[in-house]
Amino acid sequence: GSREIPFSRELYIEREDFKESANRKFFRLTLGKEVRLKNAYIIKGENVVKDAEGNITEIHVTYDPKSKSGSGSEESLRKVKGTLHWVSVKHAVEAEVRLYDRLFTEEAPDGDKERDYLDFVNPESLKVVTGYLEPGLKDAKPEDKVQFQRIGYFCVDKDSTTEKPVFNRTVTLRDSWAKIKS
């Protein structure tokens, strides 16, 4: 299928998709480097605005208006190392996002006869965060399934309303057990 996604002057990106200064292996947005906005334009980090505590509150970029994805222009075919997902600030829908993870910190919590299995309960098994979604998800119905790029697969919760959408992560895109074991 396809859908229209509004684009505007101000966009949200994932916080971890930007570093003010980064090494060569960081393929996301940084000052002086170009990345592509998924299905949109190539942008270049120019400068940042910080609050009184030194936290970055804005990233100012320039964009190449001839680089729109799918336009067939020479500029649109230019290769850049990173691609970011984004949502238009003006059109974003605020949602509650429940990030479920493994209930236990051990693969076999009852395998240690010296300790109670409750010692292995993962305190990070549920994180509830605010997310900003594209406007088409405002009308998602309970049990609808969607993928949030690079984050995982989600299902609309039965608690969800048009005024307050709620999404539950059902599957991550990376297996955290593989990392833990190595």
PDB file of all heavy atoms in Angstrom, residues 87-104:
ATOM      1  N   VAL A  87       9.113  12.756  11.502  1.00  0.00           N
ATOM      2  CA  VAL A  87       7.688  13.093  11.460  1.00  0.00           C
ATOM      3  C   VAL A  87       7.578  14.614  11.528  1.00  0.00           C
ATOM      4  O   VAL A  87       8.369  15.280  12.205  1.00  0.00           O
ATOM      5  CB  VAL A  87       6.898  12.394  12.594  1.00  0.00           C
ATOM      6  CG1 VAL A  87       7.295  12.886  13.963  1.00  0.00           C
ATOM      7  CG2 VAL A  87       5.399  12.510  12.396  1.00  0.00           C
ATOM      8  N   SER A  88       6.641  15.155  10.785  1.00  0.00           N
ATOM      9  CA  SER A  88       6.408  16.597  10.759  1.00  0.00           C
ATOM     10  C   SER A  88       5.875  17.053  12.116  1.00  0.00           C
ATOM     11  O   SER A  88       4.887  16.511  12.613  1.00  0.00           O
ATOM     12  CB  SER A  88       5.390  16.921   9.662  1.00  0.00           C
ATOM     13  OG  SER A  88       4.856  18.213   9.837  1.00  0.00           O
ATOM     14  N   VAL A  89       6.523  18.052  12.724  1.00  0.00           N
ATOM     15  CA  VAL A  89       6.092  18.569  14.029  1.00  0.00           C
ATOM     16  C   VAL A  89       4.649  19.064  13.948  1.00  0.00           C
ATOM     17  O   VAL A  89       3.827  18.774  14.812  1.00  0.00           O
ATOM     18  CB  VAL A  89       7.040  19.696  14.514  1.00  0.00           C
ATOM     19  CG1 VAL A  89       6.476  20.397  15.746  1.00  0.00           C
ATOM     20  CG2 VAL A  89       8.431  19.145  14.796  1.00  0.00           C
ATOM     21  N   LYS A  90       4.352  19.806  12.895  1.00  0.00           N
ATOM     22  CA  LYS A  90       3.028  20.419  12.738  1.00  0.00           C
ATOM     23  C   LYS A  90       1.910  19.371  12.640  1.00  0.00           C
ATOM     24  O   LYS A  90       0.783  19.622  13.045  1.00  0.00           O
ATOM     25  CB  LYS A  90       3.045  21.301  11.484  1.00  0.00           C
ATOM     26  CG  LYS A  90       1.781  22.062  11.215  1.00  0.00           C
ATOM     27  CD  LYS A  90       1.987  23.165  10.193  1.00  0.00           C
ATOM     28  CE  LYS A  90       2.186  22.645   8.803  1.00  0.00           C
ATOM     29  NZ  LYS A  90       2.201  23.720   7.783  1.00  0.00           N
ATOM     30  N   HIS A  91       2.225  18.186  12.138  1.00  0.00           N
ATOM     31  CA  HIS A  91       1.212  17.155  11.909  1.00  0.00           C
ATOM     32  C   HIS A  91       1.313  15.975  12.869  1.00  0.00           C
ATOM     33  O   HIS A  91       0.493  15.062  12.813  1.00  0.00           O
ATOM     34  CB  HIS A  91       1.337  16.632  10.476  1.00  0.00           C
ATOM     35  CG  HIS A  91       1.208  17.704   9.452  1.00  0.00           C
ATOM     36  ND1 HIS A  91       2.302  18.357   8.919  1.00  0.00           N
ATOM     37  CD2 HIS A  91       0.118  18.263   8.877  1.00  0.00           C
ATOM     38  CE1 HIS A  91       1.889  19.267   8.058  1.00  0.00           C
ATOM     39  NE2 HIS A  91       0.570  19.229   8.005  1.00  0.00           N
ATOM     40  N   ALA A  92       2.315  15.983  13.741  1.00  0.00           N
ATOM     41  CA  ALA A  92       2.582  14.830  14.608  1.00  0.00           C
ATOM     42  C   ALA A  92       1.435  14.554  15.565  1.00  0.00           C
ATOM     43  O   ALA A  92       0.780  15.467  16.068  1.00  0.00           O
ATOM     44  CB  ALA A  92       3.867  15.062  15.398  1.00  0.00           C
ATOM     45  N   VAL A  93       1.211  13.275  15.815  1.00  0.00           N
ATOM     46  CA  VAL A  93       0.205  12.819  16.776  1.00  0.00           C
ATOM     47  C   VAL A  93       0.956  12.292  17.991  1.00  0.00           C
ATOM     48  O   VAL A  93       1.798  11.398  17.871  1.00  0.00           O
ATOM     49  CB  VAL A  93      -0.665  11.701  16.155  1.00  0.00           C
ATOM     50  CG1 VAL A  93      -1.589  11.095  17.195  1.00  0.00           C
ATOM     51  CG2 VAL A  93      -1.441  12.240  14.973  1.00  0.00           C
ATOM     52  N   GLU A  94       0.658  12.869  19.150  1.00  0.00           N
ATOM     53  CA  GLU A  94       1.291  12.397  20.380  1.00  0.00           C
ATOM     54  C   GLU A  94       0.638  11.091  20.800  1.00  0.00           C
ATOM     55  O   GLU A  94      -0.585  10.967  20.773  1.00  0.00           O
ATOM     56  CB  GLU A  94       1.142  13.454  21.475  1.00  0.00           C
ATOM     57  CG  GLU A  94       1.897  13.110  22.742  1.00  0.00           C
ATOM     58  CD  GLU A  94       1.836  14.224  23.772  1.00  0.00           C
ATOM     59  OE1 GLU A  94       2.241  15.361  23.453  1.00  0.00           O
ATOM     60  OE2 GLU A  94       1.375  13.943  24.893  1.00  0.00           O
ATOM     61  N   ALA A  95       1.458  10.122  21.213  1.00  0.00           N
ATOM     62  CA  ALA A  95       0.925   8.818  21.601  1.00  0.00           C
ATOM     63  C   ALA A  95       1.694   8.279  22.798  1.00  0.00           C
ATOM     64  O   ALA A  95       2.862   8.618  23.011  1.00  0.00           O
ATOM     65  CB  ALA A  95       1.042   7.835  20.441  1.00  0.00           C
ATOM     66  N   GLU A  96       1.016   7.434  23.553  1.00  0.00           N
ATOM     67  CA  GLU A  96       1.680   6.668  24.597  1.00  0.00           C
ATOM     68  C   GLU A  96       2.250   5.423  23.930  1.00  0.00           C
ATOM     69  O   GLU A  96       1.536   4.714  23.213  1.00  0.00           O
ATOM     70  CB  GLU A  96       0.691   6.264  25.687  1.00  0.00           C
ATOM     71  CG  GLU A  96       1.314   5.433  26.792  1.00  0.00           C
ATOM     72  CD  GLU A  96       0.326   5.111  27.901  1.00  0.00           C
ATOM     73  OE1 GLU A  96      -0.329   6.046  28.405  1.00  0.00           O
ATOM     74  OE2 GLU A  96       0.210   3.924  28.252  1.00  0.00           O
ATOM     75  N   VAL A  97       3.523   5.181  24.156  1.00  0.00           N
ATOM     76  CA  VAL A  97       4.187   4.026  23.562  1.00  0.00           C
ATOM     77  C   VAL A  97       4.734   3.170  24.694  1.00  0.00           C
ATOM     78  O   VAL A  97       5.537   3.642  25.503  1.00  0.00           O
ATOM     79  CB  VAL A  97       5.305   4.462  22.597  1.00  0.00           C
ATOM     80  CG1 VAL A  97       5.990   3.251  21.983  1.00  0.00           C
ATOM     81  CG2 VAL A  97       4.743   5.375  21.505  1.00  0.00           C
ATOM     82  N   ARG A  98       4.272   1.943  24.744  1.00  0.00           N
ATOM     83  CA  ARG A  98       4.693   1.006  25.786  1.00  0.00           C
ATOM     84  C   ARG A  98       5.730   0.053  25.193  1.00  0.00           C
ATOM     85  O   ARG A  98       5.426  -0.714  24.292  1.00  0.00           O
ATOM     86  CB  ARG A  98       3.486   0.229  26.308  1.00  0.00           C
ATOM     87  CG  ARG A  98       2.444   1.154  26.939  1.00  0.00           C
ATOM     88  CD  ARG A  98       1.166   0.416  27.259  1.00  0.00           C
ATOM     89  NE  ARG A  98       0.173   1.312  27.827  1.00  0.00           N
ATOM     90  CZ  ARG A  98      -1.101   0.977  27.997  1.00  0.00           C
ATOM     91  NH1 ARG A  98      -1.531  -0.224  27.643  1.00  0.00           N
ATOM     92  NH2 ARG A  98      -1.935   1.859  28.513  1.00  0.00           N
ATOM     93  N   LEU A  99       6.942   0.159  25.719  1.00  0.00           N
ATOM     94  CA  LEU A  99       8.052  -0.643  25.216  1.00  0.00           C
ATOM     95  C   LEU A  99       8.255  -1.846  26.131  1.00  0.00           C
ATOM     96  O   LEU A  99       8.914  -1.750  27.162  1.00  0.00           O
ATOM     97  CB  LEU A  99       9.326   0.206  25.141  1.00  0.00           C
ATOM     98  CG  LEU A  99       9.218   1.457  24.268  1.00  0.00           C
ATOM     99  CD1 LEU A  99      10.447   2.344  24.437  1.00  0.00           C
ATOM    100  CD2 LEU A  99       9.013   1.074  22.817  1.00  0.00           C
ATOM    101  N   TYR A 100       7.677  -2.963  25.749  1.00  0.00           N
ATOM    102  CA  TYR A 100       7.816  -4.188  26.518  1.00  0.00           C
ATOM    103  C   TYR A 100       9.118  -4.868  26.143  1.00  0.00           C
ATOM    104  O   TYR A 100       9.499  -4.903  24.986  1.00  0.00           O
ATOM    105  CB  TYR A 100       6.646  -5.133  26.241  1.00  0.00           C
ATOM    106  CG  TYR A 100       5.331  -4.635  26.808  1.00  0.00           C
ATOM    107  CD1 TYR A 100       4.448  -3.901  26.021  1.00  0.00           C
ATOM    108  CD2 TYR A 100       4.992  -4.888  28.127  1.00  0.00           C
ATOM    109  CE1 TYR A 100       3.258  -3.430  26.531  1.00  0.00           C
ATOM    110  CE2 TYR A 100       3.797  -4.419  28.650  1.00  0.00           C
ATOM    111  CZ  TYR A 100       2.933  -3.698  27.849  1.00  0.00           C
ATOM    112  OH  TYR A 100       1.759  -3.228  28.363  1.00  0.00           O
ATOM    113  N   ASP A 101       9.779  -5.414  27.151  1.00  0.00           N
ATOM    114  CA  ASP A 101      11.001  -6.176  26.922  1.00  0.00           C
ATOM    115  C   ASP A 101      10.876  -7.484  27.698  1.00  0.00           C
ATOM    116  O   ASP A 101       9.831  -7.764  28.290  1.00  0.00           O
ATOM    117  CB  ASP A 101      12.219  -5.367  27.392  1.00  0.00           C
ATOM    118  CG  ASP A 101      13.506  -5.788  26.709  1.00  0.00           C
ATOM    119  OD1 ASP A 101      13.529  -6.860  26.072  1.00  0.00           O
ATOM    120  OD2 ASP A 101      14.504  -5.048  26.821  1.00  0.00           O
ATOM    121  N   ARG A 102      11.923  -8.252  27.737  1.00  0.00           N
ATOM    122  CA  ARG A 102      11.890  -9.547  28.420  1.00  0.00           C
ATOM    123  C   ARG A 102      11.527  -9.377  29.890  1.00  0.00           C
ATOM    124  O   ARG A 102      11.990  -8.451  30.539  1.00  0.00           O
ATOM    125  CB  ARG A 102      13.233 -10.222  28.301  1.00  0.00           C
ATOM    126  CG  ARG A 102      13.668 -10.334  26.851  1.00  0.00           C
ATOM    127  CD  ARG A 102      14.260 -11.660  26.574  1.00  0.00           C
ATOM    128  NE  ARG A 102      14.788 -11.699  25.214  1.00  0.00           N
ATOM    129  CZ  ARG A 102      14.236 -12.396  24.251  1.00  0.00           C
ATOM    130  NH1 ARG A 102      13.157 -13.101  24.475  1.00  0.00           N
ATOM    131  NH2 ARG A 102      14.754 -12.399  23.055  1.00  0.00           N
ATOM    132  N   LEU A 103      10.716 -10.293  30.411  1.00  0.00           N
ATOM    133  CA  LEU A 103      10.298 -10.238  31.812  1.00  0.00           C
ATOM    134  C   LEU A 103      11.448 -10.578  32.750  1.00  0.00           C
ATOM    135  O   LEU A 103      11.534 -10.056  33.855  1.00  0.00           O
ATOM    136  CB  LEU A 103       9.112 -11.186  32.050  1.00  0.00           C
ATOM    137  CG  LEU A 103       8.528 -11.200  33.448  1.00  0.00           C
ATOM    138  CD1 LEU A 103       8.067  -9.798  33.868  1.00  0.00           C
ATOM    139  CD2 LEU A 103       7.370 -12.175  33.528  1.00  0.00           C
ATOM    140  N   PHE A 104      12.357 -11.445  32.302  1.00  0.00           N
ATOM    141  CA  PHE A 104      13.471 -11.867  33.141  1.00  0.00           C
ATOM    142  C   PHE A 104      14.806 -11.471  32.519  1.00  0.00           C
ATOM    143  O   PHE A 104      14.939 -11.372  31.304  1.00  0.00           O
ATOM    144  CB  PHE A 104      13.438 -13.393  33.342  1.00  0.00           C
ATOM    145  CG  PHE A 104      12.216 -13.859  34.084  1.00  0.00           C
ATOM    146  CD1 PHE A 104      11.168 -14.466  33.409  1.00  0.00           C
ATOM    147  CD2 PHE A 104      12.106 -13.684  35.455  1.00  0.00           C
ATOM    148  CE1 PHE A 104      10.036 -14.892  34.085  1.00  0.00           C
ATOM    149  CE2 PHE A 104      10.984 -14.099  36.141  1.00  0.00           C
ATOM    150  CZ  PHE A 104       9.938 -14.707  35.459  1.00  0.00           C
TER     151      PHE A 104
END
